């Protein structure tokens, strides 16, 4: 058996968590997030700037020699837990993880430096639903000019540079200003999707798309579990807090056993999710067993995050159904996350391959 | 002196040098290990320990395992190790600790737990077994216990009995150490759904227990029992489970070796359970790492719940996977095993026996209450029996 992953948090990681949580408390309160989703600019670029410029977090995965922090997926996972807890509308997972990992596979120093500093936001132009290793849509390329349309691209509206797979097998860097970016009406208001239209858009070929896309999506899928953990923790904690206060029938509602058992069950799922999300982050950091750890995490995490958000809504009842209460932001994010970077079913199929439990 | 990992390694090496496992009798080795303070290092000196941090036990265990030293078969003596010992350590007199801990740990004396009764299971404090004190100071016990694991092989029992029926139920209970060889103790096999009798009913008729075998104060038995019960629930210890180490192992093996049994429906269900088993393994591993780091979390309370459900679902799936063979059973012979043996028997047995996992040591419903109240801080159940004398409660 291979070595066991380190599933705990270090003191440094807890300090990082506290700093990110403080920052988000100042920048990213729920009413503000709701108001922003109703504007033309759903992304919170002030929060992004504070995280990337102020704290240098956009460069966690980038080596110091390229202007990054030279940290690991373990630290990124902690940041994502806090971003999930706040349903923060920042392009962190898409730019600092997925696009950055794709660039790390290709070794493009100039772009890595820009993304690491947070000066530029990057987006991998692959539909958010795509699982690692799945086939991707490509645009047509001729003489360095790109033609075609790609849809379902997360956080493209905030991106400065797009990493675009083309039909010659290459991945191209395209300046966002050279592309028509049309927002799609998205289920998840805090991680909006867009359609990209390329009409003779100039691009720079960075290298082969397949390994870069696969690496980006694998890191995205694995670390998404940490976002889902933060989200589920928020839902559980808020619901427990509310039900200790909310009274019906002359008792706190949280004292009814039917409710207590559901919350205890949810707690159990969150405890499991924490272990498996840590497992995936550690495996990505060490490179050992990473494909399986990521597939296991994503086969499990979505169900818990969705369950937590759905329970939060049901147990807050009327107030939980309102636009004013932030639960809907979490429900929409959780449900979208259950499709992002591959569904649980797609990841179970991957598990079957990896551990030799073949289909009939 | 402070006992750190290096010091424990040094002492372990010393023990191994003085008592080479290859040439030392098993019991002699275990006794020497106990006397060296390497049995449970967090116990006090003279009682099998060194007053070291509990987290360092793994250091000793790893060294001894590598040297091929015999172990004390913790599964066989689980109740003694996990429940009786910590309670005796906390509440026992000096004589009781000296008398009981060493034979308990080396496994010379097996323990059982005389707690549950036909009328008092989840509501354990409602128990009716009576202990009446004689003028000489001894106690005379009468009553019936049930579902007692290991009673047929046990030398000693931890026992709770009612000593004052006029008090509310929690207040009138006292805790005893009961000699299972006493003539008033009758152990009858309790045949269970699997066909075997791993458990017992225990009838106590005028059993005389000397006052020296009382643990804790008269009337304080419920508080003493809390120590036992809390330890029962954290029993998931320092074990490292390999991938597919639990019940998912056999069914995965069958899936790989017997392609003719595969269906699409079973494939989906198997994969889901495989993932959940791997997740539970990681959770147990995280809990273990927390313990080693000296930061025990409340996760232990949840692990029993998780494993009970998984064992049941996985073994249920396994029976279905076997199809026509799933209609058969390996053996209904009434036997009295010393241990539950999940892996030595077939799928049908695993399916039936695992039904007990959500009942033994507290039902899953009761554990969910405990998680909700102690971990999440939700209000406790309304109580109608708190200030009523036990004898006036409805039964
Ligand atoms: C395999 C096995 C091994 C055992 N080993 C031992 C042993 O070694 N020593 C020993 O002393 N005992 C032992 N027991 C007994 C065990 O501890 C009890 O069976 C258990 O605590 C439940 O009690 P009960 O069977 O009386 O069920 P009851 O308490 O009558 O429960 C009936 C049902 O009601 C539910 N229920 C009860 N109270 C509540 C509540 N407050 N809220 C919600 N639901 C509730 C229960 O969950 C259960 O589903 C063993 C039992 C089994 C099956």
């Amino acid at each position: 058996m291979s070595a066991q992953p380190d599933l705990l948090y270090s003191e440094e990681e807890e300090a990082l968590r506290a700093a990110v949580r403080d920052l988000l408390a100042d920048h990213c309160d729920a009413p503000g997030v709701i108001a922003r989703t109703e504007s033309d600019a759903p992304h919170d670029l002030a929060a992004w700037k504070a995280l990337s410029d102020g704290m240098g977090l956009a460069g966690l995965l980038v080596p110091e020699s390229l202007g990054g922090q030279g940290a690991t997926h373990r630290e990124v996972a902690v940041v994502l837990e806090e971003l999930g807890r706040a349903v923060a509308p920042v392009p962190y997972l898409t730019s600092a993880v997925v696009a950055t990992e794709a660039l790390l596979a290709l070794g493009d120093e100039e772009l890595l430096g820009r993304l690491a500093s947070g000066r530029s936001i990057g987006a991998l132009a692959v539909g958010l639903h795509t699982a690692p290793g799945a086939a991707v849509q490509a645009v047509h390329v001729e003489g360095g000019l790109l033609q075609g349309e790609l849809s379902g691209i997360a956080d493209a509206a905030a991106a400065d540079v797009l990493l675009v797979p083309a039909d010659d097998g290459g991945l191209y860097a395209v300046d966002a200003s050279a592309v028509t970016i049309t927002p799609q009406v998205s289920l998840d208001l805090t991680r909006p999707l867009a359609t990209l239209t390329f009409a003779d858009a100039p691009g720079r070929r960075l290298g082969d798309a397949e390994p870069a896309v696969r690496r980006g999506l694998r890191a995205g899928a694995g670390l998404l579990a940490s976002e889902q953990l933060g989200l589920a923790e928020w839902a559980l904690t808020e619901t427990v807090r509310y039900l200790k206060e909310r009274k019906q029938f002359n008792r706190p509602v949280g004292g009814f056993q039917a409710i207590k058992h559901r919350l205890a069950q949810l707690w159990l799922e969150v405890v499991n999710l924490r272990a498996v999300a840590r497992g995936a982050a550690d495996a990505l950091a060490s490179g050992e067993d990473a494909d399986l750890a990521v597939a296991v995490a994503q086969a499990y995490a979505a169900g818990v995050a969705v369950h937590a958000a759905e329970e939060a809504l049901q147990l807050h009842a009327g107030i939980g159904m309102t636009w004013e209460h932030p639960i809907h932001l979490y429900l929409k994010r959780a449900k979208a996350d259950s499709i992002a970077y591959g569904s649980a079913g797609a990841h179970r199929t991957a598990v079957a391959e990896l551990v030799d439990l073949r289909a009939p | 002196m402070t006992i750190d990992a290096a010091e424990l390694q040094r002492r372990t090496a010393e023990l191994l040098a003085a008592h080479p496992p290859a040439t030392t009798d098993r019991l002699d080795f275990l006794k020497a290990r106990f006397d060296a303070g390497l049995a449970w290092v967090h116990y006090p000196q003279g009682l099998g320990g060194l007053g070291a941090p509990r987290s360092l036990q793994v250091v000793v265990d790893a060294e001894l395992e590598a040297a091929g030293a015999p172990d004390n078969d913790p599964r066989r003596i689980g109740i003694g190790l996990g429940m009786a010992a910590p309670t005796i350590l906390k509440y026992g007199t000096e004589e009781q600790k000296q008398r009981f801990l060493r034979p308990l740990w080396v496994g010379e004396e097996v323990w059982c737990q005389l707690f549950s009764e036909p009328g008092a299971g989840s509501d354990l404090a409602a128990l009716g077994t009576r202990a009446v004190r004689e003028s000489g100071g001894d106690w005379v016990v009468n009553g019936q216990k049930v579902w007692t694991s290991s009673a047929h092989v046990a030398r000693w029992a931890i026992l709770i009995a009612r000593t004052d029926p006029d008090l509310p139920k929690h207040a009138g209970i006292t805790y005893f150490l009961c000699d299972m060889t006493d003539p008033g103790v009758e152990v009858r096999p309790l045949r269970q759904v699997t066909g075997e009798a791993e458990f017992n009913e225990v009838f106590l008729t005028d059993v005389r227990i000397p006052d020296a075998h009382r643990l804790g104060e008269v009337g304080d038995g419920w508080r003493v029992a809390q120590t036992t019960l809390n330890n029962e629930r954290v029993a998931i210890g320092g074990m490292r489970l390999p991938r597919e180490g639990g019940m998912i192992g056999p069914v995965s093996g069958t899936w790989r070796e017997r392609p003719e049994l595969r269906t699409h429906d079973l494939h989906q269900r198997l994969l889901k359970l495989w993932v959940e088993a791997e997740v539970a393994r990681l959770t147990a591993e995280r809990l273990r790492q927390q313990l080693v780091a000296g930061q025990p979390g409340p996760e232990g309370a949840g692990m029993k719940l998780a494993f009970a459900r998984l064992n049941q679902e996985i073994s249920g799936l396994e029976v279905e996977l076997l199809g026509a063979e799933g209609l058969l059973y390996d053996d209904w012979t009434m036997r009295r095993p010393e241990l539950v043996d999940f892996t030595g028997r077939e799928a049908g047995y695993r399916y039936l026996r695992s039904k007990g996992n959500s009942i033994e040591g507290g039902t899953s419903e009761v554990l969910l209450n405990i998680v909700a109240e102690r971990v999440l801080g939700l209000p406790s159940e309304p109580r109608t029996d708190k200030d009523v004398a036990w004898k006036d409660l409805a039964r």
Side-chain angles (χ1 to χ4, degrees):
Chain A
M1 186 179 53
S2 56
Q4 298 282 357
D6 174 0
L7 301 172
L8 304 182
Y9 299 100
S10 69
E11 271 172 46
E12 294 73 28
E13 285 163 359
E14 289 297 356
L16 172 64
R17 174 197 307 290
V20 175
R21 196 180 288 193
D22 273 0
L23 187 150
L24 292 171
D26 291 346
H27 270 93
C28 231
D29 64 332
V33 177
I34 293 176
R36 202 166 279 108
T37 63
E38 294 170 295
S39 75
D40 290 338
H43 291 103
D44 186 342
L45 294 177
W48 167 256
K49 200 166 154 47
L51 288 163
S52 54
D53 256 13
M55 297 180 68
L57 299 183
L60 284 180
L61 291 175
V62 179
E64 281 170 291
S65 58
L66 301 180
Q69 306 283 320
T72 73
H73 302 79
R74 295 176 54 88
E75 289 81 10
V76 174
V78 170
V79 174
L80 280 166
E81 281 180 33
E82 295 310 310
L83 293 176
R85 199 187 307 277
V87 273
V90 293
Y92 191 83
L93 185 64
T94 44
S95 182
V97 177
V98 177
T100 297
E101 284 274 348
L103 290 172
L104 283 166
L106 299 167
D108 191 281
E109 302 199 357
E110 191 266 336
L111 268 178
L112 275 169
R114 272 166 58 194
L115 260 52
S117 69
R119 269 181 293 133
S120 294
I121 295 170
L124 183 66
V126 168
L128 180 63
H129 63 283
T130 312
V136 301
Q137 264 192 305
V139 297
H140 180 59
V141 61
E142 228 176 271
L145 296 181
L146 311 182
Q147 322 282 351
E149 194 175 283
L150 299 172
S151 63
I153 311 304
D155 291 338
D160 304 295
V161 59
L162 300 160
L163 308 178
V164 185
D167 59 3
D168 68 347
L171 193 68
Y172 284 75
V174 181
D175 203 87
S177 60
V179 181
T180 307
I181 299 175
T182 315
Q184 294 176 289
V185 181
S186 309
L187 174 65
D188 179 0
L189 297 159
T190 56
R191 185 178 282 140
L193 307 178
T195 297
L196 312 181
T197 310
F198 300 82
D200 288 337
R204 179 164 66 88
R205 196 179 199 277
L206 302 168
D208 285 346
E210 201 279 333
V213 169
R214 178 190 286 269
R215 176 165 166 180
L217 295 181
R218 185 178 80 168
L223 292 171
L224 180 65
S226 293
E227 175 180 301
Q228 288 163 315
L229 169 61
L231 190 161
E233 277 190 339
W234 179 89
L236 174 64
T237 308
E238 275 307 298
T239 307
V240 167
R241 190 185 59 71
Y242 179 68
L243 294 181
K244 280 184 197 170
E245 285 162 15
R246 175 75 176 169
K247 287 205 175 78
Q248 298 288 348
F249 305 98
N250 198 34
R251 280 168 64 185
V253 175
F256 289 101
Q257 197 181 62
I259 307 284
K260 286 162 72 173
H261 283 194
R262 280 165 69 167
L263 291 170
Q265 200 64 55
L266 194 55
W267 173 80
L268 201 64
E269 290 176 32
V270 171
V271 163
N272 283 333
L273 176 50
R274 186 176 302 115
V276 78
R278 284 317 278 164
D282 193 70
L284 283 166
S286 71
E288 203 171 315
D289 225 9
D291 286 331
L292 183 59
V294 167
V296 166
Q298 271 314 313
Y300 186 76
V304 177
V306 171
H307 184 213
E310 288 179 348
E311 286 288 76
L313 194 155
Q314 173 64 22
L315 298 178
H316 280 74
I319 183 83
M321 197 64 196
T322 65
W323 185 267
E324 175 194 351
H325 197 288
I327 287 176
H328 68 95
L329 297 176
Y330 291 82
L331 179 66
K332 292 162 188 172
R333 172 72 73 86
K335 198 66 186 171
D337 279 355
S338 76
I339 299 166
Y341 306 118
S343 65
H347 287 283
R348 275 199 291 275
T349 304
V351 169
E353 285 288 315
L354 290 164
V355 303
D356 187 30
L357 291 171
R358 308 275 158 185
Chain B
M1 97 174 283
T2 59
I3 308 278
D4 56 12
E7 175 63 14
L8 284 176
Q9 271 163 341
R10 194 188 64 72
R11 291 187 187 218
T12 308
E14 224 172 70
L15 170 76
L16 286 165
H19 307 271
T23 54
T24 309
D25 169 70
R26 176 174 177 277
L27 212 52
D28 289 342
F29 183 87
L30 291 172
K31 286 176 179 167
R33 178 175 166 190
F34 186 94
D35 295 338
L38 300 172
W40 33 39
V41 296
H42 55 293
Y43 271 45
Q45 213 140 20
L47 295 174
L50 295 164
R54 186 190 197 123
S55 54
L56 292 182
Q57 184 67 45
V58 289
V59 175
V60 175
D61 293 348
E63 299 280 315
L64 290 176
E65 198 190 314
D71 86 345
N72 59 346
D73 203 354
R75 278 187 354 115
R76 199 177 65 92
I77 57 173
I79 293 179
L81 283 179
M83 299 168 72
T87 317
I88 293 171
L89 181 69
K90 184 157 177 196
Y91 289 98
T93 61
E94 211 39 53
E95 293 74 45
Q96 287 170 339
K97 292 182 210 171
Q98 292 295 343
R99 162 66 188 84
F100 291 113
L101 289 176
R102 190 172 185 252
L104 182 160
W105 189 86
V106 302
E108 277 179 303
E109 291 180 348
V110 174
W111 286 68
C112 69
Q113 176 202 12
L114 295 175
F115 279 22
S116 303
E117 298 183 5
S122 301
D123 186 10
L124 186 57
L127 58 88
T129 292
R130 285 280 278 130
V132 177
R133 194 165 196 174
E134 295 214 314
S135 51
D138 286 0
W139 297 82
V140 177
V141 180
N142 281 283
Q144 184 195 340
K145 299 285 178 176
V146 74
W147 281 114
T148 315
S149 319
S150 308
H152 54 296
V153 289
R155 173 66 175 79
W156 290 94
I158 44 179
L159 163 74
I160 45 180
R162 185 155 308 281
T163 44
D164 191 343
D166 295 324
L167 293 176
K169 64 181 183 184
H170 292 98
I173 295 172
T174 302
Y175 198 116
F176 299 96
L177 308 177
C178 174
D179 185 342
M180 293 296 285
T181 62
D182 192 295
V185 178
E186 189 198 343
V187 176
R188 293 188 203 156
L190 180 58
R191 196 170 185 206
Q192 70 211 70
V193 290
T194 56
E196 61 185 21
E198 192 191 318
F199 304 96
N200 305 275
E201 294 179 293
V202 179
F203 295 83
L204 304 163
T205 311
D206 292 334
V207 177
R208 299 189 73 85
I209 299 185
D211 194 53
H213 287 172
R214 169 168 51 79
L215 198 64
E217 299 305 313
V218 174
D220 202 26
W222 186 249
R223 195 162 64 100
V224 181
Q226 289 313 301
T227 298
T228 311
L229 296 172
N230 288 338
N231 277 288
E232 180 169 14
R233 284 167 195 140
V234 294
I236 162 138
M239 276 240 301
R240 275 206 143 142
L241 214 55
R243 185 170 287 152
E244 290 191 12
M247 280 219 192
I248 198 69
V251 66
S252 299
T254 305
W255 183 272
R256 291 183 188 114
E257 287 152 25
R258 312 263 312 262
E260 77 281 6
L261 297 175
R262 298 175 192 167
T263 70
H264 285 286
D265 166 56
L266 289 169
H267 191 228
Q268 289 308 311
R269 288 161 60 197
L270 173 65
L271 287 176
K272 192 162 173 294
L273 289 171
W274 195 95
V275 166
E276 287 176 8
E278 173 68 1
V279 171
R281 183 185 76 84
L282 286 168
T283 304
E285 173 61 20
R286 190 173 133 81
L287 181 64
R288 199 194 65 80
Q289 291 181 6
Q290 283 178 296
L291 281 174
V292 170
Q295 321 152 348
E299 287 86 346
M303 292 312 296
K304 178 179 177 295
L305 279 164
F307 280 115
R309 185 185 60 79
L310 273 173
N311 285 350
Q312 293 173 359
E313 287 190 25
I314 293 168
S315 59
L317 180 81
E318 196 180 357
V319 171
E320 281 180 69
L321 171 63
L322 290 169
E325 280 166 60
L327 293 170
L328 307 177
Y329 192 71
D330 59 359
D331 186 3
W332 290 115
T333 310
M334 150 82 172
R335 272 179 301 194
R336 309 198 69 196
E338 213 173 306
L339 270 180
V340 43
D341 182 10
F342 277 116
T343 44
R345 296 202 42 189
E346 289 179 6
Y349 174 84
R350 273 195 277 284
Y351 172 69
L352 295 173
R353 179 57 182 84
S354 64
K355 293 298 165 217
N357 293 162
S358 53
I359 302 171
E360 57 198 338
T363 65
S364 291
E365 290 76 20
V366 167
L367 287 180
L368 286 170
N369 283 347
I370 290 174
V371 168
E373 291 169 20
R374 302 206 193 143
V375 180
L376 299 178
L378 291 165
S380 49
E381 298 297 295
R383 296 287 300 273
T384 57
D385 55 0
K386 222 172 157 174
D387 303 314
V388 183
W390 174 82
K391 65 177 169 37
D392 298 328
L393 290 174
R395 257 185 303 281

